[in-house]
PDB file of all heavy atoms in Angstrom:
ATOM      1  N   TYR K  56     -11.856  20.923 -23.527  1.00 63.00           N
ATOM      2  CA  TYR K  56     -10.558  21.585 -23.595  1.00 63.00           C
ATOM      3  C   TYR K  56     -10.105  21.799 -25.040  1.00 63.00           C
ATOM      4  O   TYR K  56     -10.452  21.065 -25.974  1.00 63.00           O
ATOM      5  CB  TYR K  56      -9.510  20.748 -22.871  1.00 63.00           C
ATOM      6  CG  TYR K  56      -9.720  20.563 -21.449  1.00 63.00           C
ATOM      7  CD1 TYR K  56     -10.342  19.460 -20.885  1.00 63.00           C
ATOM      8  CD2 TYR K  56      -9.281  21.565 -20.515  1.00 63.00           C
ATOM      9  CE1 TYR K  56     -10.494  19.311 -19.539  1.00 63.00           C
ATOM     10  CE2 TYR K  56      -9.442  21.471 -19.097  1.00 63.00           C
ATOM     11  CZ  TYR K  56     -10.147  20.290 -18.641  1.00 63.00           C
ATOM     12  OH  TYR K  56     -10.344  20.174 -17.326  1.00 63.00           O
ATOM     13  N   VAL K 139     -12.515   8.923  -9.659  1.00 81.00           N
ATOM     14  CA  VAL K 139     -13.494   9.116 -10.852  1.00 81.00           C
ATOM     15  C   VAL K 139     -14.117  10.558 -10.854  1.00 81.00           C
ATOM     16  O   VAL K 139     -14.004  11.304 -11.809  1.00 81.00           O
ATOM     17  CB  VAL K 139     -14.639   8.073 -10.858  1.00 81.00           C
ATOM     18  CG1 VAL K 139     -15.554   8.330 -12.089  1.00 81.00           C
ATOM     19  CG2 VAL K 139     -13.903   6.665 -11.005  1.00 81.00           C
ATOM     20  N   ALA K 140     -14.586  10.956  -9.754  1.00 79.00           N
ATOM     21  CA  ALA K 140     -15.319  12.257  -9.625  1.00 79.00           C
ATOM     22  C   ALA K 140     -14.452  13.471 -10.009  1.00 79.00           C
ATOM     23  O   ALA K 140     -14.798  14.286 -10.751  1.00 79.00           O
ATOM     24  CB  ALA K 140     -15.883  12.406  -8.300  1.00 79.00           C
ATOM     25  N   PRO K 141     -13.197  13.526  -9.539  1.00 76.00           N
ATOM     26  CA  PRO K 141     -12.379  14.708  -9.905  1.00 76.00           C
ATOM     27  C   PRO K 141     -11.982  14.731 -11.431  1.00 76.00           C
ATOM     28  O   PRO K 141     -11.991  15.831 -11.938  1.00 76.00           O
ATOM     29  CB  PRO K 141     -11.048  14.469  -9.142  1.00 76.00           C
ATOM     30  CG  PRO K 141     -11.456  13.614  -7.978  1.00 76.00           C
ATOM     31  CD  PRO K 141     -12.522  12.671  -8.544  1.00 76.00           C
ATOM     32  N   THR K 142     -11.868  13.522 -12.043  1.00 72.00           N
ATOM     33  CA  THR K 142     -11.569  13.474 -13.457  1.00 72.00           C
ATOM     34  C   THR K 142     -12.730  13.855 -14.327  1.00 72.00           C
ATOM     35  O   THR K 142     -12.670  14.687 -15.231  1.00 72.00           O
ATOM     36  CB  THR K 142     -10.912  12.192 -13.788  1.00 72.00           C
ATOM     37  OG1 THR K 142      -9.747  11.843 -13.020  1.00 72.00           O
ATOM     38  CG2 THR K 142     -10.563  12.096 -15.253  1.00 72.00           C
ATOM     39  N   LEU K 143     -13.809  13.187 -14.081  1.00 71.00           N
ATOM     40  CA  LEU K 143     -15.089  13.445 -14.919  1.00 71.00           C
ATOM     41  C   LEU K 143     -15.547  14.953 -14.607  1.00 71.00           C
ATOM     42  O   LEU K 143     -16.196  15.403 -15.542  1.00 71.00           O
ATOM     43  CB  LEU K 143     -16.154  12.423 -14.522  1.00 71.00           C
ATOM     44  CG  LEU K 143     -15.860  11.026 -14.978  1.00 71.00           C
ATOM     45  CD1 LEU K 143     -17.016  10.054 -14.705  1.00 71.00           C
ATOM     46  CD2 LEU K 143     -15.521  10.966 -16.507  1.00 71.00           C
ATOM     47  N   GLY K 144     -15.285  15.405 -13.461  1.00 69.00           N
ATOM     48  CA  GLY K 144     -15.635  16.795 -13.164  1.00 69.00           C
ATOM     49  C   GLY K 144     -15.013  17.798 -14.202  1.00 69.00           C
ATOM     50  O   GLY K 144     -15.667  18.839 -14.446  1.00 69.00           O
ATOM     51  N   GLN K 145     -13.886  17.374 -14.801  1.00 67.00           N
ATOM     52  CA  GLN K 145     -13.276  18.324 -15.814  1.00 67.00           C
ATOM     53  C   GLN K 145     -14.100  18.505 -17.055  1.00 67.00           C
ATOM     54  O   GLN K 145     -13.850  19.503 -17.733  1.00 67.00           O
ATOM     55  CB  GLN K 145     -11.946  17.728 -16.154  1.00 67.00           C
ATOM     56  CG  GLN K 145     -10.924  17.589 -14.962  1.00 67.00           C
ATOM     57  CD  GLN K 145      -9.624  17.044 -15.398  1.00 67.00           C
ATOM     58  OE1 GLN K 145      -9.012  17.352 -16.362  1.00 67.00           O
ATOM     59  NE2 GLN K 145      -9.104  16.063 -14.573  1.00 67.00           N
ATOM     60  N   ILE K 146     -14.977  17.558 -17.310  1.00 70.00           N
ATOM     61  CA  ILE K 146     -15.843  17.764 -18.488  1.00 70.00           C
ATOM     62  C   ILE K 146     -16.656  18.988 -18.452  1.00 70.00           C
ATOM     63  O   ILE K 146     -17.016  19.616 -19.442  1.00 70.00           O
ATOM     64  CB  ILE K 146     -16.753  16.552 -18.596  1.00 70.00           C
ATOM     65  CG1 ILE K 146     -16.009  15.276 -18.881  1.00 70.00           C
ATOM     66  CG2 ILE K 146     -17.805  16.736 -19.651  1.00 70.00           C
ATOM     67  CD1 ILE K 146     -16.839  13.991 -18.992  1.00 70.00           C
ATOM     68  N   TYR K 147     -17.019  19.424 -17.148  1.00 68.00           N
ATOM     69  CA  TYR K 147     -17.821  20.617 -17.032  1.00 68.00           C
ATOM     70  C   TYR K 147     -16.947  21.852 -16.749  1.00 68.00           C
ATOM     71  O   TYR K 147     -17.434  22.860 -16.192  1.00 68.00           O
ATOM     72  CB  TYR K 147     -18.823  20.384 -15.852  1.00 68.00           C
ATOM     73  CG  TYR K 147     -19.643  19.199 -16.071  1.00 68.00           C
ATOM     74  CD1 TYR K 147     -19.335  17.891 -15.476  1.00 68.00           C
ATOM     75  CD2 TYR K 147     -20.691  19.278 -16.887  1.00 68.00           C
ATOM     76  CE1 TYR K 147     -20.122  16.814 -15.729  1.00 68.00           C
ATOM     77  CE2 TYR K 147     -21.535  18.128 -17.175  1.00 68.00           C
ATOM     78  CZ  TYR K 147     -21.216  16.960 -16.572  1.00 68.00           C
ATOM     79  OH  TYR K 147     -21.940  15.796 -16.843  1.00 68.00           O
ATOM     80  N   GLY K 148     -15.704  21.852 -17.046  1.00 63.00           N
ATOM     81  CA  GLY K 148     -14.928  23.009 -16.985  1.00 63.00           C
ATOM     82  C   GLY K 148     -14.204  23.113 -15.619  1.00 63.00           C
ATOM     83  O   GLY K 148     -14.351  22.190 -14.714  1.00 63.00           O
ATOM     84  N   PRO K 149     -13.598  24.239 -15.335  1.00 66.00           N
ATOM     85  CA  PRO K 149     -12.943  24.500 -14.092  1.00 66.00           C
ATOM     86  C   PRO K 149     -13.710  24.322 -12.859  1.00 66.00           C
ATOM     87  O   PRO K 149     -13.315  23.786 -11.892  1.00 66.00           O
ATOM     88  CB  PRO K 149     -12.284  25.933 -14.259  1.00 66.00           C
ATOM     89  CG  PRO K 149     -12.263  26.213 -15.730  1.00 66.00           C
ATOM     90  CD  PRO K 149     -13.406  25.394 -16.317  1.00 66.00           C
ATOM     91  N   LEU K 150     -15.027  24.903 -12.925  1.00 70.00           N
ATOM     92  CA  LEU K 150     -15.892  24.755 -11.818  1.00 70.00           C
ATOM     93  C   LEU K 150     -16.216  23.294 -11.428  1.00 70.00           C
ATOM     94  O   LEU K 150     -16.213  22.826 -10.316  1.00 70.00           O
ATOM     95  CB  LEU K 150     -17.101  25.603 -11.985  1.00 70.00           C
ATOM     96  CG  LEU K 150     -18.140  25.558 -10.838  1.00 70.00           C
ATOM     97  CD1 LEU K 150     -17.446  26.133  -9.546  1.00 70.00           C
ATOM     98  CD2 LEU K 150     -19.397  26.352 -11.271  1.00 70.00           C
ATOM     99  N   GLY K 151     -16.474  22.557 -12.525  1.00 71.00           N
ATOM    100  CA  GLY K 151     -16.798  21.122 -12.416  1.00 71.00           C
ATOM    101  C   GLY K 151     -15.614  20.410 -11.882  1.00 71.00           C
ATOM    102  O   GLY K 151     -15.792  19.510 -10.980  1.00 71.00           O
ATOM    103  N   SER K 152     -14.452  20.757 -12.298  1.00 71.00           N
ATOM    104  CA  SER K 152     -13.208  20.120 -11.776  1.00 71.00           C
ATOM    105  C   SER K 152     -13.036  20.313 -10.325  1.00 71.00           C
ATOM    106  O   SER K 152     -12.719  19.473  -9.489  1.00 71.00           O
ATOM    107  CB  SER K 152     -11.948  20.578 -12.608  1.00 71.00           C
ATOM    108  OG  SER K 152     -10.792  19.922 -12.145  1.00 71.00           O
ATOM    109  N   ILE K 153     -13.257  21.592  -9.877  1.00 80.00           N
ATOM    110  CA  ILE K 153     -13.074  21.944  -8.412  1.00 80.00           C
ATOM    111  C   ILE K 153     -14.109  21.215  -7.612  1.00 80.00           C
ATOM    112  O   ILE K 153     -13.836  20.685  -6.519  1.00 80.00           O
ATOM    113  CB  ILE K 153     -13.220  23.449  -8.318  1.00 80.00           C
ATOM    114  CG1 ILE K 153     -11.986  24.148  -8.931  1.00 80.00           C
ATOM    115  CG2 ILE K 153     -13.308  23.814  -6.788  1.00 80.00           C
ATOM    116  CD1 ILE K 153     -12.103  25.716  -9.028  1.00 80.00           C
ATOM    117  N   LEU K 154     -15.396  21.263  -8.082  1.00 82.00           N
ATOM    118  CA  LEU K 154     -16.411  20.548  -7.337  1.00 82.00           C
ATOM    119  C   LEU K 154     -16.212  19.156  -7.213  1.00 82.00           C
ATOM    120  O   LEU K 154     -16.400  18.484  -6.163  1.00 82.00           O
ATOM    121  CB  LEU K 154     -17.843  20.911  -7.897  1.00 82.00           C
ATOM    122  CG  LEU K 154     -18.295  22.404  -7.826  1.00 82.00           C
ATOM    123  CD1 LEU K 154     -19.595  22.479  -8.556  1.00 82.00           C
ATOM    124  CD2 LEU K 154     -18.508  22.702  -6.337  1.00 82.00           C
ATOM    125  N   GLY K 155     -15.792  18.492  -8.313  1.00 78.00           N
ATOM    126  CA  GLY K 155     -15.460  17.049  -8.357  1.00 78.00           C
ATOM    127  C   GLY K 155     -14.375  16.689  -7.340  1.00 78.00           C
ATOM    128  O   GLY K 155     -14.484  15.705  -6.636  1.00 78.00           O
ATOM    129  N   SER K 156     -13.310  17.502  -7.345  1.00 80.00           N
ATOM    130  CA  SER K 156     -12.211  17.227  -6.511  1.00 80.00           C
ATOM    131  C   SER K 156     -12.644  17.460  -5.054  1.00 80.00           C
ATOM    132  O   SER K 156     -12.264  16.662  -4.119  1.00 80.00           O
ATOM    133  CB  SER K 156     -11.043  18.236  -6.828  1.00 80.00           C
ATOM    134  OG  SER K 156     -10.593  17.955  -8.092  1.00 80.00           O
ATOM    135  N   LEU K 157     -13.403  18.487  -4.766  1.00 86.00           N
ATOM    136  CA  LEU K 157     -13.850  18.765  -3.461  1.00 86.00           C
ATOM    137  C   LEU K 157     -14.756  17.701  -2.854  1.00 86.00           C
ATOM    138  O   LEU K 157     -14.673  17.301  -1.783  1.00 86.00           O
ATOM    139  CB  LEU K 157     -14.622  20.223  -3.371  1.00 86.00           C
ATOM    140  CG  LEU K 157     -15.049  20.722  -1.963  1.00 86.00           C
ATOM    141  CD1 LEU K 157     -13.871  20.839  -1.087  1.00 86.00           C
ATOM    142  CD2 LEU K 157     -15.871  21.991  -2.150  1.00 86.00           C
ATOM    143  N   LEU K 158     -15.741  17.306  -3.702  1.00 85.00           N
ATOM    144  CA  LEU K 158     -16.573  16.098  -3.345  1.00 85.00           C
ATOM    145  C   LEU K 158     -15.805  14.931  -3.068  1.00 85.00           C
ATOM    146  O   LEU K 158     -16.068  14.209  -2.098  1.00 85.00           O
ATOM    147  CB  LEU K 158     -17.636  15.914  -4.448  1.00 85.00           C
ATOM    148  CG  LEU K 158     -18.501  14.648  -4.360  1.00 85.00           C
ATOM    149  CD1 LEU K 158     -19.418  14.813  -3.075  1.00 85.00           C
ATOM    150  CD2 LEU K 158     -19.339  14.388  -5.541  1.00 85.00           C
ATOM    151  N   GLY K 159     -14.822  14.589  -3.948  1.00 83.00           N
ATOM    152  CA  GLY K 159     -14.078  13.447  -3.710  1.00 83.00           C
ATOM    153  C   GLY K 159     -13.240  13.415  -2.479  1.00 83.00           C
ATOM    154  O   GLY K 159     -13.196  12.480  -1.663  1.00 83.00           O
TER     155      GLY K 159
END
Side-chain angles (χ1 to χ4, degrees):
Y56 294 97
V139 180
T142 302
L143 289 185
Q145 297 179 45
I146 293 176
Y147 303 99
L150 180 59
S152 180
I153 293 172
L154 290 177
S156 298
L157 184 62
L158 171 65

